[in-house]
Each structure stands twice: as structure tokens, then as C-alpha cells.
Amino acid sequence: MTTAPFVRLHPEDNIAVAARKVPEATPFSFAGTSDLSTVEPIEMGHKVALRSIDAGQPIKKFGQTIGFASAPISAGAWVHVHNVTAGELSLDYAFCSEIPAPPTPIEGRTFMGYRRPDGRAATRNYIGIISTVNCSATASKYAAQKFDTALLEQFPNVDGVVPLVHKGGCAFQFGGEDHKQLTRTLSGFARHPNIAAYIVLGLGCETAQASFLMENGGLVQLGGTSQLPSKAPLVMNIQEQGGVAKTVNRAVAAIRELLPEVNKVQRVPIPVSEIMLGLECGGSDGNSGTTANPALGYCSDLLVAHGGTAILSEVTEIYGGEHLLTRRSVSRDVGEALLERIRWWIEYTGKFGERIDINPSVGNKKGGLTTIYEKSLGAIAKGGTTALRAVYKYAEPVTEKGFVVMDTPGYDPASVTGMVAGGANVCCFTTGRGSCFGCKPVPTIKIATNSPMYNRMVDDMDINAGRILDGATIEEVGREIFEEVVAVASGKQTKSEAQGIGDEEFCPWTYGPIT
């Protein structure tokens, strides 16, 4: 354990973050401060004042304003929701003023993946059952359950049969924005390189008709899709098949025919430039922006240097730190696209009498996060330091290489679902409180922000970034994460995969009215 009880992240900060639980009357100091002592206990991840702060004065972390003192705060005191308010920020977007130089290219590194007939790179090899509506979810699950471990052992190159079921698909406007977004999501999974083949199950009378999905999701023409070139995707409606039992039986028969073909693939060397990494944080704490997120940011920079793609999500958790991204946007249009999404969220939450800054969650606050600005600034660190090259809508196919943003909500399953639909073939998920997450058909690497939680939940966490609080560097842990990404892309099983997690986390985002 490090001897320093607190970590100061920037010379301009007037707070520091507890590296462990710190008792009352613990002495500490930093360069430029007088000798200090805690006036009350400070929990791990929570903040302590480095100097007296008057009411109304900004609270500084990461060298940025994360809120304002709502009452006078004495040096050595606990700084949290009882004496801090978010307030209003005045941000200077300074578009394109800090575009970093491209990283030095790194060439020649490969991972062992599956090369699809259309040229795309896969990290896993699944058969998918695409449910168009909640009404066909049970039939989809029943069909998938027929293919248990014993049966799949006959096909060692097949990772499983995954039912992609959800709670929507009807009672919205036909051809409306929600319908289009669900279509993007379902078709993104159907066409995902990790889905070697799929079938589509509907009820028959729903708004999200299977025919609409096939025609508007680009699934009718087989050329260039992940579907096996010799197999047209089977589309079935329960009402036409004569009920659930008959539908399940036909679906099972169709999948049995697909299994031998899907099993024929072999892993081959593929350039690391073809890894598309989804970046997610959930169950965050006060050390997320100190350890795991900046370490994942270092990994993101390494991946970009190799020619790959890193996707930052959760626009609601960029709010308050968006000026850092507009400054490194490659063009004014890219920066404005991000701000347009921020404005959309402000308007959207306002329609329900809410604010965009209703974050952080109860668990976030228990872990030391006080305002959405603090949470956002820490979350943005996952995106590293390279230029922002594009901003995508939810579940939109990601085509740009480098660092990009996708507009997703702050709800983790919905956010990761969007990135996977967009093409992410590996995900990294940082957590301080201990989120348990997986997302078939894409492997998710779990990264703990602190050692106590890692040790407590070692069966769920793949990497312990809490070592940074014990003296490891961000660069060391960042390289560890990068190597884990390459290993997992090559077939190494993650902790969530080992437990079979991922069937329930498919969660298409629906934001419009249900009528």
C-alpha cells in the first residue's frame, strides 16, 4: 500500500482524492501547500480540501471546475454533496485549438481472429437469433436453450447461440425515429462480424416487422454481410408458423443445419488495426478518473497508434467536459456535432422535467463522485489524448479509424449495445463499485479502479487498475490493458464469459413515446 493517503491530480486542484480510507487527524501535504491534517474520516475515492474554500468558490479536480462550494469548507475537511453544488459552467469550446499530432504509427502487430468472407475481422463466432419484438423473445430464448454445452462441444469453434431479445418492438410510430433506431441496432448485431449466421423471429403483427428490418437494415442482400454466403437468413413469424412450439422446432432445425458450417472457421493473424474497442464505465467511483479510466485512455492511444478504433460513449457523461473534446476535434463540424448531441440531451431531459445533470447515481456518490462534471471529466479520460475524428448516432456503423464518440445514454447495457451494433468487436468496462457485465457476442474486459473491490470481486474483474494507487504507473497498467485486449481478441476468455454472462444485457435504447 502506498504511504501517501491522498492523490492530487493537477497542480491547480484545491482538493485531493483519498487513495484508501483515511482516519481523522491524518497528516498530509503536497508541494505548494502547508502541512495539513484531516478534520474527519475520508473514505477511499472521496475528496479532501487542500485549503480553505469560501462558499461560491469553484472546486477544482483534474485542473477543471467540478462544482462550487455551497458552504465554507475548511482545509482538511471532507468535500462532497453536503458542501458542493454543481452550479453552471461557462465553457470555452475553442474548436480545434488543441488538435494533437497523430501518434507515431505502430505496424506489424496482429491478433488471432476470424476473417469473414466479406473481409471483416471477428473476435468471436456466434449464431444469433434476432427477435424483432418482445412478443417473440420467449420463442427466441427457448430455441437458444436447446443448444446446451454438451451439444455445442461437438462444434468447438462455435462460441454459442445467443438470443438477442428485448422489451420493445411495438407501440411506436412505424418508420419513426425509434423504429429506425431499433432497426439500426438489430441489423447492426445481425451484420456484426462476431455473428457468423442468424435467423430472425417475429410475432407477425408488431410494428417492427421483420420485413422492414430486412429491407431497411441492409439484410436482404447477402453480399457483404456476416451471413454465411450460401445460407439466406431464415425469417419466421410465430403467427404464420402456428404458434410458439412450432416456431421453436423450426428454428432449432435451422440452427442445427447452420452449426457445421459455422464451425468450419479457424483463427488467423489479423492486424491489430482491425480491433474496434468499445469504452465503457459503470458503477464508477472517485478513483475511476485517477486509475482505470486514464489507464484505459493510454490503451486507447496505443490502439489508435496501431491504426485501430476506440469508441467513447455516454454523451450524458461527457457533459461538463465537452470543451476538452471540441478543442481536439479534427474539424469544427466534428466539434459542433458533439455539442448538438449535448443540446439534444438537455432538451430531451427537460421534456420530462429533469436535468441532464441528474447523474451521479447513488452508488457513484457513495464511491466519492459528487457532480456530473466530476464524473464526466473522469469518464472522458477513457478516450485517451488523440484527436476526435467523428461523432456517431446511436448504433450507427462506425467507419472512421481513430478516436470517435457515439451518442449513447448513460445506462451501461444500452450504451454497450449501441457500440456493439456500431461494430465494436471488443469492449473494456471500468468500474469502481463492481459492475458485473458481459455482452454477447462481444467479449467485455472488466477493469477495477481499486484493489479492495478487485480482491472482493476477483471472479468478475479481469484487471486491477487499483495498483496505480500502490505505485504502478498509468502507462504500465495501460499497456497491461492493451495486451489483454489483444489476448481477448485472440480468443482468451474474459471473467464474464467464463460465467456465461451476456444473454440478458442486449438492451436497445428507445427514447420516444410508447403509445
Side-chain angles (χ1 to χ4, degrees):
M1 176 65 70
T2 179
T3 57
F6 295 102
V7 177
R8 182 170 66 173
L9 300 175
H10 192 279
E12 295 180 8
D13 290 354
N14 55 7
I15 60 90
V17 181
R20 60 178 185 272
K21 185 175 183 178
V22 182
E24 181 181 350
T26 299
F28 67 99
S29 63
F30 292 97
T33 71
S34 59
D35 290 340
L36 298 166
S37 182
T38 55
V39 300
E40 55 195 315
I42 311 292
E43 295 290 332
M44 171 182 277
H46 286 250
K47 297 174 287 297
V48 67
L50 301 182
R51 62 183 69 94
S52 296
I53 305 172
D54 294 334
Q57 293 300 302
I59 308 297
K60 293 280 190 176
K61 183 180 178 182
F62 311 107
Q64 304 288 327
T65 298
I66 64 166
F68 301 87
S70 58
I73 304 173
S74 60
W78 178 34
V79 178
H80 200 32
V81 293
H82 61 291
N83 53 18
V84 176
T85 185
E88 297 292 336
L89 298 181
S90 179
L91 301 176
D92 180 7
Y93 297 126
F95 295 97
C96 312
S97 61
E98 299 176 10
I99 303 175
T104 302
I106 304 174
E107 299 178 350
R109 187 72 188 272
T110 61
F111 72 97
M112 296 299 292
Y114 299 112
R115 180 67 77 186
R116 295 304 185 196
D118 61 5
R120 291 177 305 152
T123 61
R124 294 294 185 269
N125 192 43
Y126 279 91
I127 293 174
I129 304 176
I130 311 297
S131 178
T132 62
V133 65
N134 181 249
C135 305
S136 59
T138 298
S140 299
K141 286 185 175 182
Y142 284 175
Q145 289 167 3
K146 299 290 185 180
F147 300 92
D148 58 15
T149 303
L151 177 59
L152 289 176
E153 284 178 353
Q154 303 174 36
F155 306 96
N157 294 330
V158 180
D159 289 302
V161 178
V162 55
L164 296 165
V165 302
H166 54 96
K167 301 300 183 184
C170 204
F172 49 47
Q173 180 183 351
F174 184 86
E177 291 304 310
D178 265 335
H179 194 181
K180 292 177 182 177
Q181 185 157 289
L182 179 61
T183 297
R184 283 203 307 273
T185 307
L186 295 178
S187 63
F189 271 72
R191 290 183 285 106
H192 196 283
N194 285 10
I195 297 290
Y198 63 89
I199 63 174
V200 178
L201 295 190
L203 176 62
C205 58
E206 66 269 24
T207 302
Q209 287 287 302
S211 58
F212 185 95
L213 170 65
M214 303 303 289
E215 294 169 8
N216 293 274
L219 304 183
V220 172
Q221 298 298 322
L222 296 184
T225 75
S226 58
Q227 178 67 36
L228 292 172
S230 61
K231 299 285 186 180
L234 176 65
V235 179
M236 292 186 292
N237 287 320
I238 294 170
Q239 292 165 352
E240 296 173 358
Q241 294 298 315
V244 170
K246 292 176 182 177
T247 302
V248 170
N249 289 337
R250 188 179 177 199
V252 169
I255 294 171
R256 285 183 183 275
E257 289 184 13
L258 291 171
L259 279 168
E261 289 294 321
V262 172
N263 189 61
K264 287 181 180 179
V265 296
Q266 298 292 329
R267 290 187 180 270
V268 297
I270 296 175
V272 165
S273 60
E274 297 188 49
I275 292 177
M276 187 180 293
L277 184 64
L279 310 172
E280 187 70 19
C281 56
S284 300
D285 69 351
N287 280 314
S288 292
T290 305
T291 61
N293 288 353
L296 181 53
Y298 188 86
C299 166
S300 300
D301 287 350
L302 277 177
L303 181 60
V304 171
H306 281 82
T309 304
I311 309 170
L312 182 66
S313 58
E314 299 182 307
V315 166
T316 52
E317 296 179 15
I318 291 174
Y319 176 65
E322 64 267 25
H323 60 298
L324 302 181
L325 298 181
T326 58
R327 295 179 180 198
R328 57 192 251 221
S329 298
V330 294
S331 70
R332 176 74 180 245
D333 287 345
V334 170
E336 290 285 9
L338 177 61
L339 295 186
E340 186 276 328
R341 290 288 84 198
I342 294 282
R343 290 190 292 268
W344 184 92
W345 276 102
I346 293 172
E347 179 183 359
Y348 174 69
T349 54
K351 290 178 179 179
F352 301 93
E354 301 288 352
R355 292 169 54 93
I356 191 175
D357 60 0
I358 55 176
N359 241 321
S361 71
V362 172
N364 294 154
K365 292 175 181 177
K366 287 183 177 180
L369 291 174
T370 302
T371 69
I372 184 56
Y373 308 142
E374 179 183 14
K375 187 176 184 180
S376 292
L377 289 163
I380 288 170
K382 302 192 302 293
T385 62
T386 62
L388 175 61
R389 306 203 63 86
V391 175
Y392 290 93
K393 293 180 180 179
Y394 184 84
E396 189 177 8
V398 174
T399 57
E400 186 76 33
K401 292 286 189 178
F403 169 56
V404 303
V405 165
M406 176 176 283
D407 179 24
T408 73
Y411 183 47
D412 303 326
S415 179
V416 175
T417 295
M419 289 189 288
V420 171
N425 50 19
V426 180
C427 290
C428 281
F429 191 124
T430 67
T431 181
R433 303 295 292 172
S435 293
C436 302
F437 187 86
C439 182
K440 296 177 182 178
V442 172
T444 300
I445 299 167
K446 301 300 294 300
I447 305 164
T449 74
N450 63 84
S451 296
M453 186 275 287
Y454 174 83
N455 293 328
R456 188 170 63 251
M457 300 184 67
V458 68
D459 293 335
D460 297 279
M461 300 295 122
D462 296 283
I463 291 176
N464 179 21
R467 297 192 300 109
I468 294 171
L469 298 176
D470 301 330
T473 67
I474 288 173
E475 291 78 9
E476 288 171 349
V477 177
R479 286 190 175 276
E480 180 186 358
I481 296 171
F482 176 79
E483 293 300 330
E484 188 73 1
V485 168
V486 175
V488 167
S490 299
K492 179 180 178 181
Q493 197 174 50
T494 66
K495 296 285 184 71
S496 61
E497 287 180 299
Q499 297 185 70
I501 299 171
D503 285 317
E504 303 297 333
E505 285 75 10
F506 179 67
C507 183
W509 174 35
T510 301
Y511 60 84
I514 300 297
T515 58

